[in-house]
Amino acid sequence: MAKPKVAFYWNASCGGCEEAVIDLAEDLLKVADAVDIVLWPVALDFKKKDVENLKDNEIVASFINGAVRTEEQKEMAELLRAKSQLVFAFGSCAHEGCIPGLANFTNREGIFERVYKTTESTKNPEGIFPKVKTKVPEGELTLPEFFDTVYTLDQTVEVDYYIPGCAPPPDIIMNAFTALLEGNLPEKGSVLSPNIALCDECDRNESKPEKLEIPEFNRVHQIEIDPEKCFLAQGIICMGISTRSGCGQRCINVNMPCRGCFGPLDGVKDFGLRTMAGIASIFALENEENLSEEDLSKLMDKLVDPAGLFYMYSLPSSILRRKRMEEK
Amino acid sequence: MTRRITIDPITRLEGHGKIEIFLDDKGNVANAYLQIPELRGFEKFSEGRRAEEMPRITPKICGVCPTAHHICSAKTLDDLFNVEVPPAGEKIRELIYSAFMFEDHTLHFYFLGGPDFVMGPDADPSVRNILGVIQKVGVETGKKVINIRKRTRDIITKLGGRVIHPVCGLPGGVSKGVSKEDREEFIKTAKDAIEFSKFSLKLFDDIVLGNKEYVDIIVGDIYKHKTYYMGLVDDNNKVNFYDGMIRVVNPEGKEFAKFKSRDYLDHIEEHVEEWSYVKFPYLKNVGWKGFTDGIDSGVYRVAPLARLNASDGMATPLAQEAYEKMYDVLGGKPAHNTLAYHWARLVEQMYSVERLLELAEDDEIMDKHIRNIPTEIPDEGIGVVEAPRGTLYHHYKTDERGIIQKVNLIVATVNNSAAIAMSVKKAAQGLIKNGKVSDGLLNMVEMAFRAYDPCLACASHSLPGQTPLKVTIHDCTGEIVRTIIRD
């Protein structure tokens, strides 16, 4: 029997998702043995033509990481979708937009202006910006168009499964591969990690007060962080209350709070909103009745950059999507 | 007839690199362009963020060297909040950093650059990869490479939380200390890694230096550029990855500048071209004279060979020994031979683990005082480290609440962007004569840019060792007359 055809591809990404696959080490060889890899720019020659020559649905599964922010990436995602029975959004960028998705707070013009003109080390008196087409003495050079907006994979093509995390840890990746090979995949649209909040399996759970309350907001650099005690009880925003588990508490292990790279639980449309609601429900509970509006707003002022914090990994996939573009 | 050659490596980190070579009417190289077709805009979208989150935001620039951005960002926050890091905090950071430099250099040498030499530049492409290397040096050695890399990466996981995008750095220190058990383990790993580095140097000695043909390629003119060199040095002008002063030497090896990270804007400027999303840094006090080398051109180089050229040696004994031997063979300092980057990388690999052992054996590493809480109002901070691929600068300005107002970044590989383009052009010039394109072009051009270990052909993007390349030659009407593909 022919081995199932599988493709790996990257869009706008940092390379961490590739490192995550390489970190499978010996398990990677097992996977490579069981499948026929038809596309993997990291390991094999990029043969876009070969992919084009495949029949529709000939690839059993494509694993695509990275967000989509250039024309080239969009075309590649569409091509792989057409040729694949299943598409997996691999990692936080493809799943929710991740940190590079914070670029949706600005646009192409804003980025170009800063990067190529106003950065302190840049000397560009003529205001030169990169262009899609440039005439040079010897001919013409081209660059792919840079979009105003960062898109998740499922805003570009239909996605069947999501492998969460920035980057996804080895066991989550292997579980996904195994489920695919053994035909054990759950319902279409599933996120392939436990549908339990990180908070519920956190080692600090025991020290979590029965009635959790955030007395005031602190930032990680402002206080000594007790390594045994729940972050929220110390006034530090930890997104474990609304984040899916499966990461192995890797940030909490080194005494740093969760920032939500695994994304929301099933059925939650907007991760940031859900997290904010969760935080609001336990903020200044004890004192609420004694606090004036002014007192409350002073306390709230300490919660700086809420949008950047609560949507750190998920702005493109949120209901906000992006900052409103001004009409020209 | 004007012809055009497109080399599309199809591997990327900050976008895949694309090389365009134009031939003149005689069929010789008129010009070559290295294009980076991607951009993400961290400088802009970091505005408005909490400063203390920057060590968690900026590593996403690169998933292969996230530790460089993480530690550089933490150092920038130290400066921003004007907070002193306690000795144990500094040592833990440098310990993480040393483990990182080792595993990254190891990845490059064995998976990427090394196969060119171990298998030989003329070897069949199908064996010029890590698998070919394992076959030649033995499966046991292959396992050794994978194992030692895993153990050093485990150090980062242990202290940084995650090896891909660590999270432990804070202004004034780190979030987690070193336990007694951890320390014992780190010492064992460091000792084994030193043995491994000895083995790597010996391998280079046997296979590369033992072969006159290879040595001729290394010292040959095709891979030579006389440029300025930049690197971090300690108080004795010895190479340092974590901290120190930035030293620049001129193409003759004389000290041209020595400055603190705070003063980087007095020394570096960046040039913009319409045809690439990447900028081209140069020495401000020499000036941008285009893609050319020599003492009058502001083009400078960074990363292993540049660091060694810009220093007066290595701070540890075995690395110093290897350093002396390298310059002996290359005929003194500075060495302008681009392919010697591979050799310099092994000298640094040795230094990184000798330093790792020093730090692990230092009793202070277990001190409980690992961070100081900032008390001052933030304003502006600048940080620097030596990333595997070169000097890395972070620069943040904030309001009094510590909210980011401005960010400037000069990322390691970017420092080399002009030099890489020049190296590619020179290799092309050497191999394309009167319209005849040698079949060796791919190999030689590939070797030219692979020596820099640039992010666009970065280690993780080339498992199992090949940078896939495609050269398409067009005639003046755009018709394809020839395609060469390297799998």
Side-chain angles (χ1 to χ4, degrees), chain B residues 319-485:
Chain B
Q320 175 65 20
E321 204 179 288
Y323 165 98
E324 284 167 17
K325 181 169 179 188
M326 183 186 95
Y327 283 110
D328 259 2
V329 173
L330 296 176
K333 282 177 76 179
H336 300 295
N337 322 85
T338 305
L339 293 184
Y341 268 87
H342 295 293
W343 198 349
R345 197 167 284 120
L346 291 182
V347 175
E348 290 194 339
Q349 184 197 49
M350 177 58 91
Y351 167 69
S352 66
V353 283
E354 283 186 288
R355 184 69 189 134
L356 180 66
L357 182 62
E358 281 177 6
L359 289 159
E361 285 182 333
D362 187 331
D363 287 337
E364 204 167 30
I365 201 95
M366 293 195 303
D367 194 278
K368 297 279 178 265
H369 185 202
I370 53 173
R371 63 178 285 220
N372 287 322
I373 307 288
T375 52
E376 292 193 25
I377 292 168
D379 173 22
E380 183 170 11
I382 297 171
V384 66
V385 293
E386 280 295 333
R389 292 155 197 84
T391 320
L392 169 64
Y393 300 87
H394 282 205
H395 180 182
Y396 315 149
K397 287 181 191 164
T398 68
D399 66 11
E400 72 289 347
R401 298 172 305 160
I403 299 299
I404 297 281
Q405 306 296 306
K406 294 283 176 225
V407 168
N408 191 29
L409 305 164
I410 299 180
V411 177
T413 291
V414 175
N415 291 286
N416 272 336
S417 53
I420 296 172
M422 285 155 51
S423 293
V424 164
K425 182 177 172 184
K426 198 163 180 184
Q429 278 170 336
L431 290 146
I432 302 173
K433 292 269 162 68
N434 301 322
K436 281 199 181 133
V437 181
S438 153
D439 278 341
L441 175 76
L442 277 172
N443 183 12
M444 302 294 261
V445 168
E446 186 181 25
M447 279 173 72
F449 71 75
R450 198 142 75 183
Y452 294 96
D453 184 17
C455 274
L456 49 135
C458 199
S460 78
H461 283 164
S462 296
L463 183 85
Q466 281 303 323
T467 307
L469 285 178
K470 186 169 82 180
V471 178
T472 311
I473 305 171
H474 303 265
D475 66 15
C476 50
T477 64
E479 285 294 305
I480 296 171
V481 293
R482 194 169 164 199
T483 307
I484 315 166
I485 291 173

Side-chain angles (χ1 to χ4, degrees), chain A residues 9-16 18-20 22-23 25 28 40-47 69-70 72-73 98-100 102-103 105-106 110-112 114-116 119-124 128-131 134 136-146 166-167 218-225 250-251 253-259 261 302-305 308-309 312-313, chain B residues 4 10-13 16 18 20 22 30-31 33 35-45 47-53 56-57 60-64 81 107 149 153 158-165 167 170-171 175-176 264-265 268-279 282 371 373-374 395 397 401-403 406-408 410 460-464 468 485-487:
Chain A
Y9 192 69
W10 54 51
N11 283 319
S13 65
C14 70
E18 269 72 40
E19 274 278 6
I22 293 168
D23 277 345
L28 175 60
W40 196 14
V42 71
L44 308 163
D45 186 19
F46 177 91
K47 292 176 181 130
R69 75 162 324 154
T70 68
E72 203 174 45
Q73 292 158 353
C98 194
I99 283 177
L102 292 171
F105 282 130
T106 175
I111 290 173
F112 275 28
R114 178 66 188 150
V115 173
Y116 300 113
T119 28
E120 290 71 7
S121 49
T122 303
K123 191 182 175 194
N124 186 6
I128 290 169
F129 288 149
K131 295 199 299 202
T134 306
V136 293
E138 303 84 8
E140 190 177 73
L141 296 169
T142 58
L143 288 171
E145 192 190 332
F146 185 79
C166 176
N218 290 309
R219 291 159 67 182
V220 287
H221 66 291
Q222 291 172 329
I223 59 162
E224 290 283 357
I225 304 169
R250 48 194 182 174
C251 297
N253 284 342
V254 294
N255 205 18
M256 291 294 278
C258 171
R259 286 291 172 256
C261 78
K302 287 187 77 181
L303 185 66
V304 292
D305 184 30
L309 189 67
M312 190 176 272
Y313 282 89
Chain B
R4 171 197 190 117
I10 327 289
T11 58
R12 62 178 148 190
L13 201 49
H16 68 245
K18 198 165 112 183
E20 297 275 356
F22 292 96
N31 212 342
Y33 295 87
Q35 295 180 272
I36 306 296
E38 204 180 88
L39 166 76
R40 280 172 299 154
F42 279 78
E43 290 94 330
K44 182 64 185 174
F45 69 70
E47 290 173 8
R49 307 288 79 79
R50 299 169 165 216
E52 74 275 18
E53 299 293 333
R56 296 180 77 156
I57 290 172
K60 316 293 182 188
I61 291 169
C62 176
V64 178
F81 288 97
L107 180 72
R149 193 163 173 264
R153 277 172 81 78
K158 193 104 209 175
L159 298 174
R162 40 224 318 268
V163 66
I164 302 168
H165 307 315
V167 299
L170 287 162
S175 65
K176 195 189 177 198
Y264 83 107
L265 288 174
I268 303 171
E269 268 180 353
E270 293 180 285
H271 171 79
V272 181
E273 292 280 356
E274 283 179 354
W275 43 266
S276 184
Y277 285 129
V278 80
K279 292 186 280 187
Y282 59 94
R371 63 178 285 220
I373 307 288
H395 180 182
K397 287 181 191 164
R401 298 172 305 160
I403 299 299
K406 294 283 176 225
V407 168
N408 191 29
I410 299 180
S460 78
H461 283 164
S462 296
L463 183 85
I485 291 173
R486 145 87 49 76
D487 290 328

